[in-house]
Amino acid sequence: MSAYFEHLDLNHLLATYGYWAIFIGCLLEGETILILGGVAAHQQVLKLLPVIGYASLAGMLGDQLLFWAGRYFGDRLLPRLHKKQAAIDKVTALIHRHPTASIFSVRFLYGMRLLGPMVIGASKIAPLKFACINAVGALVWATLFAGAGYWAGEFLQRALGDLKPYRLPIALGVVGVVVAVALIRRYRSKGRHSSQG
């Protein structure tokens, strides 16, 4: 089985398209592809600093686009998101209490990565303030998750030796873990809402 995975030239695919994959993945959501980018950097298929750089740029750009969407269309768009009202209220309350912290931390809050910047944009926070804090938050976020992937690669190499035959199973395993954590969080969140109702 491992020989089959070894024949898949993931090394070439990652080296050729890895940075683009990280940029596009982090523009949308990011954590899974960023962890895998960190593992690839540990294996010297990619370089760690460009992984962090591309991820930071994409994360910052994605949030800037969502911020401006919220600024111009938030009054019409947000009231239509009835199922997300609890999350909208949570971010709105956080903005009123701690505006700077809310901009920095929203990308780390589960379920807020896409919605949070829109709510912040609708709150009329100054665009320059958002851009500066968003840039710092994106850099810290990218460094943490790429670093986690890098050290996961170190751990796996110590446990398994040469990781080349295991690259696809590792990638699938990371995706599986991220999906499982997301499902558990969603289930717990639904449980809390139903108990409060």
Side-chain angles (χ1 to χ4, degrees), residues 36-113:
L36 292 173
V39 174
H42 178 269
Q43 294 297 295
Q44 299 179 340
V45 179
L46 302 175
K47 294 181 179 178
L48 185 59
L49 287 181
V51 166
I52 292 171
Y54 278 98
S56 301
L57 181 62
M60 183 180 67
L61 178 61
D63 282 8
Q64 284 295 146
L65 292 172
L66 291 167
F67 172 85
W68 287 108
R71 194 165 184 87
Y72 286 111
F73 308 112
D75 292 342
R76 283 173 286 168
L77 184 60
L78 293 176
R80 297 181 183 180
L81 303 175
H82 304 295
K83 292 183 179 180
K84 300 288 186 180
Q85 192 57 51
I88 292 170
D89 292 342
K90 184 177 179 181
V91 176
T92 303
L94 184 62
I95 292 166
H96 288 309
R97 288 197 308 270
H98 310 288
T100 301
S102 68
I103 297 169
F104 179 83
S105 64
V106 73
R107 72 180 62 252
F108 297 98
L109 301 175
Y110 173 72
M112 305 293 180
R113 175 72 196 280

Side-chain angles (χ1 to χ4, degrees), residues 127-175:
L128 182 59
K129 179 177 182 176
F130 179 82
C132 292
I133 300 169
N134 180 41
V136 174
L139 180 60
V140 171
W141 169 80
T143 302
L144 286 175
F145 280 94
Y150 188 91
W151 292 113
E154 175 70 21
F155 171 80
L156 290 169
Q157 185 168 306
R158 288 183 182 180
L160 301 173
D162 181 17
L163 294 184
K164 188 176 179 182
Y166 303 104
R167 282 189 181 140
L168 186 58
I170 288 169
L172 295 174
V174 170
V175 172

